[in-house]
Amino acid sequence: MIDRANVPSVTFLFREQIASFDPGRQMMLISVDEEWPMIRLWVALPDPALLTPYYGFVSCPRRDVSCPRRDLPTAPVLLAGDPARFEQMFHGG
C-alpha cells in the first residue's frame, strides 16, 4: 500500500521496465482503492527479480506459481500493461 501521491513515480518505473523486459506483454501494474489517501498496487512480472526496485512490495506466497484467482484483487484498475491481457485475466474477455 502506498500514498496516492507516489503512484506516478511507481507507474513511471514500471513503464520503463515494460519497455525493457516485457516483449511477451505479460507485465501489469494494477491498482485497488483503499482508505484515502492510500492505494494498493499489484504487479504481474515474468521474473520475480524484477520486483527488487519496488520497496515494500512482496511476492505472492507461492513463488513457484502465479497467484491463485482467489488471491487477486477485486475491482482492479490497470495502470500499465496490456489492456487485452488485463481484460482476459479480470473480466474473462
Side-chain angles (χ1 to χ4, degrees):
M1 287 194 15
I2 66 171
D3 188 286
R4 290 171 192 273
N6 296 323
V7 171
S9 62
V10 173
T11 302
F12 176 80
L13 173 61
F14 199 82
R15 288 178 195 266
E16 292 291 310
Q17 277 191 322
I18 286 174
S20 298
F21 301 110
D22 194 27
R25 301 175 63 127
Q26 297 179 25
M27 294 175 67
M28 289 188 287
L29 176 64
I30 298 165
S31 71
V32 178
D33 285 337
E34 295 287 342
E35 188 173 327
W36 185 265
M38 304 305 285
I39 195 164
R40 185 175 304 273
L41 297 178
W42 290 67
V43 294
L45 302 168
D47 180 351
L50 295 173
L51 191 61
T52 304
Y54 302 96
Y55 176 79
F57 281 58
V58 295
S59 294
C60 188
R62 291 196 55 207
R63 293 174 183 231
D64 58 326
V65 296
S66 297
C67 282
R69 179 69 178 112
R70 69 181 177 276
D71 292 344
L72 294 175
T74 56
V77 174
L78 181 67
L79 298 178
D82 183 18
R85 184 165 187 273
F86 175 79
E87 284 296 318
Q88 181 182 30
M89 180 175 281
F90 290 97
H91 303 291

